[in-house]
Amino acid sequence: MSRKSFYITTTLPYVNGQPHIGHAMEFIRADVVNRYKKLICFEVFFNTGTDEHGIKIYQRSVEENKDPQSYVDEYVQYFKQILIDLHIDPEIHFIRTTDEHHIKSAQEFWKRCEANGDIYKKNYKIKYCIGCELEKTDSELENGRCSIHTNLELEEREEENYFFRFSKYQKPLLDLYKNNPNFVVPDFRFNEIKAFVERGLEDFSISRLKSKMSWGIPVPGDEDHVMYVWFDALVNYVSTLGWPENKENFEKYWANGNPTQYAGKDNLRQQSAMWQAMLMSAGLPTSYQIVINGFIQGANGQKMSKSLGNVINPVEVVEKYGAEALRYFVCRELSTFEDSDFTWERFNEAYNSGLANGIGNLTSRIMTMAEKYSDVPIGQHRVLAIGSELEKFEIAKAMNLVWEKIAELDKKIQETEPFKLVKTDPEKAKEIISELVTGLRGVADALAPFMPDTALKIQKLIKENKKPSEPLFLRKDSSTSSL
């Protein structure tokens, strides 16, 4: 009997800087879903990578006095390393948009859209946000600037470019949304994109003049143009599967693998409308589901910026607290779909209460008793019912179910005091300790998608019937969390 297949991908971060905490959040959440699907016996294709073309990267390479390829070759290593630092599944596929196969795949995708009559050339004038790498309409501006990149002045551009007939796909997109009521998660983001499409769609530019911006994939049949970065980058979701040559992989994971895409709220339009229209144009199946994260902010909803000194570096968090602690915080303490605040003080408090005093202390108490009474049998444990929440990408709700079980086991120790009962009724004490160990095993198994290393440590302790030689999570004082 063949196993079911599943495809999940993050967006591809730009390599115009080092990974930030928002990247870490997206990697971790997608990895949780990936690991969960594997645990319930799916064959999973898990994709991430780096977006390496476009004006922002070209400008940064000029600033650093490097040619663009050397620049991206250097910065891509930071993104590969952060996956290791965050304990992301080592079987993840990593694609670069400068890969030779991706370049050929993007050009083939272009040809198919062109053959369908959806690509044409015209002169145009736009207001353009370099931060988003997107043109902006007046309705999307606040005080004459992009609402996301308020620190950047808009550029006015006028040139001849190739365009994609986005306007042609208003009805097909609305039909897609109607026929797939869970296409975008959460529902309030779905309502946003439906409203955007209902207002009417404008064709968007998909090329740049090579004479003005040479760093991009050449347009097939026109050496004077390179592909617009978004058109090129979106194709990675199928090029990573070996499309168009590897038909077996494509059918298995894209056509039949419920392709699911994690993205930030600033990617809503690109992932759930532009990319879907492009897929339709190329004659390929659309995505199955788009999951949209909120942003991570500083204290009191303040935007993170280097000038304000409130930027959180995920590598620094891992160095101070460990990868498992960051995974815990992202999964349980950050809102699954809304914007969330992230400060060192909040992180430290959550670490001590949830990890050091929570799962760490519970494991130590239970396994100390189990080791002392080594003939304690372990009963048949029940897997915690977190699957229904993870199927809806409600990661924080799933984590809270695990911590409810932790609280339940803590309460059982307090109420029964088996460490005292062993003197008056040793058989009853052993029965209670057995129930506690069995419950702890259920917690460990449920933790596997979220905190894989912690889950393995607890499972090993139970198998060997030993107490931890050192705390799973050492308490941290407030000085650890200073900037």
PDB file of all heavy atoms in Angstrom, residues 4 99 128 142 178 226 273 334 338 356 361 412:
ATOM      1  N   LYS A   4       0.509   8.189   1.400  1.00  0.00           N
ATOM      2  CA  LYS A   4       0.030   9.456   0.855  1.00  0.00           C
ATOM      3  C   LYS A   4       1.185  10.445   0.791  1.00  0.00           C
ATOM      4  O   LYS A   4       2.113  10.388   1.588  1.00  0.00           O
ATOM      5  CB  LYS A   4      -1.085  10.018   1.724  1.00  0.00           C
ATOM      6  CG  LYS A   4      -2.374   9.232   1.676  1.00  0.00           C
ATOM      7  CD  LYS A   4      -3.445   9.910   2.525  1.00  0.00           C
ATOM      8  CE  LYS A   4      -4.760   9.151   2.476  1.00  0.00           C
ATOM      9  NZ  LYS A   4      -5.793   9.806   3.325  1.00  0.00           N
ATOM     10  N   ASP A  99      19.992  28.703  -9.304  1.00  0.00           N
ATOM     11  CA  ASP A  99      20.299  27.345  -9.772  1.00  0.00           C
ATOM     12  C   ASP A  99      20.020  27.241 -11.272  1.00  0.00           C
ATOM     13  O   ASP A  99      19.014  27.776 -11.763  1.00  0.00           O
ATOM     14  CB  ASP A  99      19.435  26.313  -9.049  1.00  0.00           C
ATOM     15  CG  ASP A  99      19.803  26.140  -7.582  1.00  0.00           C
ATOM     16  OD1 ASP A  99      20.928  26.544  -7.202  1.00  0.00           O
ATOM     17  OD2 ASP A  99      18.966  25.604  -6.827  1.00  0.00           O
ATOM     18  N   TYR A 128       6.541  52.623  -7.657  1.00  0.00           N
ATOM     19  CA  TYR A 128       7.161  51.333  -7.363  1.00  0.00           C
ATOM     20  C   TYR A 128       7.856  51.350  -6.007  1.00  0.00           C
ATOM     21  O   TYR A 128       8.604  52.278  -5.683  1.00  0.00           O
ATOM     22  CB  TYR A 128       8.185  51.019  -8.458  1.00  0.00           C
ATOM     23  CG  TYR A 128       8.813  49.659  -8.389  1.00  0.00           C
ATOM     24  CD1 TYR A 128       8.162  48.552  -8.912  1.00  0.00           C
ATOM     25  CD2 TYR A 128      10.066  49.469  -7.809  1.00  0.00           C
ATOM     26  CE1 TYR A 128       8.740  47.292  -8.874  1.00  0.00           C
ATOM     27  CE2 TYR A 128      10.653  48.223  -7.758  1.00  0.00           C
ATOM     28  CZ  TYR A 128       9.987  47.132  -8.303  1.00  0.00           C
ATOM     29  OH  TYR A 128      10.572  45.888  -8.258  1.00  0.00           O
ATOM     30  N   GLU A 142      -0.021  55.069   2.135  1.00  0.00           N
ATOM     31  CA  GLU A 142      -0.327  55.870   3.320  1.00  0.00           C
ATOM     32  C   GLU A 142       0.635  57.050   3.346  1.00  0.00           C
ATOM     33  O   GLU A 142       1.848  56.847   3.391  1.00  0.00           O
ATOM     34  CB  GLU A 142      -0.164  55.031   4.597  1.00  0.00           C
ATOM     35  CG  GLU A 142      -1.202  53.928   4.741  1.00  0.00           C
ATOM     36  CD  GLU A 142      -1.018  53.120   6.015  1.00  0.00           C
ATOM     37  OE1 GLU A 142      -0.155  53.507   6.848  1.00  0.00           O
ATOM     38  OE2 GLU A 142      -1.709  52.107   6.179  1.00  0.00           O
ATOM     39  N   LYS A 178     -14.199  30.270  -4.286  1.00  0.00           N
ATOM     40  CA  LYS A 178     -15.538  29.782  -3.966  1.00  0.00           C
ATOM     41  C   LYS A 178     -15.551  28.274  -3.781  1.00  0.00           C
ATOM     42  O   LYS A 178     -16.218  27.733  -2.883  1.00  0.00           O
ATOM     43  CB  LYS A 178     -16.516  30.185  -5.080  1.00  0.00           C
ATOM     44  CG  LYS A 178     -17.957  29.767  -4.813  1.00  0.00           C
ATOM     45  CD  LYS A 178     -18.873  30.221  -5.954  1.00  0.00           C
ATOM     46  CE  LYS A 178     -20.315  29.785  -5.704  1.00  0.00           C
ATOM     47  NZ  LYS A 178     -21.209  30.211  -6.823  1.00  0.00           N
ATOM     48  N   VAL A 226      15.103  41.104 -18.600  1.00  0.00           N
ATOM     49  CA  VAL A 226      15.216  40.023 -17.617  1.00  0.00           C
ATOM     50  C   VAL A 226      13.883  39.917 -16.885  1.00  0.00           C
ATOM     51  O   VAL A 226      13.114  40.878 -16.829  1.00  0.00           O
ATOM     52  CB  VAL A 226      16.354  40.258 -16.598  1.00  0.00           C
ATOM     53  CG1 VAL A 226      17.703  40.260 -17.278  1.00  0.00           C
ATOM     54  CG2 VAL A 226      16.133  41.544 -15.806  1.00  0.00           C
ATOM     55  N   ALA A 273      -2.977  35.005  -5.157  1.00  0.00           N
ATOM     56  CA  ALA A 273      -3.629  35.527  -6.363  1.00  0.00           C
ATOM     57  C   ALA A 273      -2.684  35.482  -7.572  1.00  0.00           C
ATOM     58  O   ALA A 273      -2.949  34.788  -8.552  1.00  0.00           O
ATOM     59  CB  ALA A 273      -4.135  36.946  -6.125  1.00  0.00           C
ATOM     60  N   LEU A 334       3.771  32.945  20.450  1.00  0.00           N
ATOM     61  CA  LEU A 334       3.422  33.901  19.396  1.00  0.00           C
ATOM     62  C   LEU A 334       2.050  33.561  18.829  1.00  0.00           C
ATOM     63  O   LEU A 334       1.722  32.387  18.649  1.00  0.00           O
ATOM     64  CB  LEU A 334       4.460  33.878  18.276  1.00  0.00           C
ATOM     65  CG  LEU A 334       5.892  34.293  18.638  1.00  0.00           C
ATOM     66  CD1 LEU A 334       6.776  34.260  17.401  1.00  0.00           C
ATOM     67  CD2 LEU A 334       5.915  35.681  19.270  1.00  0.00           C
ATOM     68  N   GLU A 338      -2.008  36.329  13.977  1.00  0.00           N
ATOM     69  CA  GLU A 338      -1.970  37.784  14.171  1.00  0.00           C
ATOM     70  C   GLU A 338      -0.526  38.245  14.394  1.00  0.00           C
ATOM     71  O   GLU A 338       0.381  37.436  14.585  1.00  0.00           O
ATOM     72  CB  GLU A 338      -2.808  38.174  15.396  1.00  0.00           C
ATOM     73  CG  GLU A 338      -4.273  37.763  15.320  1.00  0.00           C
ATOM     74  CD  GLU A 338      -5.111  38.747  14.524  1.00  0.00           C
ATOM     75  OE1 GLU A 338      -4.540  39.686  13.938  1.00  0.00           O
ATOM     76  OE2 GLU A 338      -6.345  38.573  14.506  1.00  0.00           O
ATOM     77  N   ALA A 356      11.776  25.628  31.891  1.00  0.00           N
ATOM     78  CA  ALA A 356      12.536  25.275  33.090  1.00  0.00           C
ATOM     79  C   ALA A 356      11.609  24.774  34.203  1.00  0.00           C
ATOM     80  O   ALA A 356      11.814  23.693  34.769  1.00  0.00           O
ATOM     81  CB  ALA A 356      13.337  26.483  33.566  1.00  0.00           C
ATOM     82  N   ASN A 361      11.059  20.598  34.717  1.00  0.00           N
ATOM     83  CA  ASN A 361      10.859  20.215  36.114  1.00  0.00           C
ATOM     84  C   ASN A 361      10.001  18.955  36.216  1.00  0.00           C
ATOM     85  O   ASN A 361      10.281  18.060  37.029  1.00  0.00           O
ATOM     86  CB  ASN A 361      10.206  21.363  36.873  1.00  0.00           C
ATOM     87  CG  ASN A 361      10.095  21.078  38.351  1.00  0.00           C
ATOM     88  OD1 ASN A 361      11.064  20.734  39.008  1.00  0.00           O
ATOM     89  ND2 ASN A 361       8.880  21.209  38.882  1.00  0.00           N
ATOM     90  N   LYS A 412      -1.374  15.905  39.475  1.00  0.00           N
ATOM     91  CA  LYS A 412      -1.463  14.525  39.975  1.00  0.00           C
ATOM     92  C   LYS A 412      -0.364  14.249  41.008  1.00  0.00           C
ATOM     93  O   LYS A 412      -0.616  13.610  42.036  1.00  0.00           O
ATOM     94  CB  LYS A 412      -1.358  13.542  38.803  1.00  0.00           C
ATOM     95  CG  LYS A 412      -1.628  12.086  39.175  1.00  0.00           C
ATOM     96  CD  LYS A 412      -1.531  11.194  37.953  1.00  0.00           C
ATOM     97  CE  LYS A 412      -1.909   9.770  38.290  1.00  0.00           C
ATOM     98  NZ  LYS A 412      -3.364   9.610  38.511  1.00  0.00           N
TER      99      LYS A 412
END
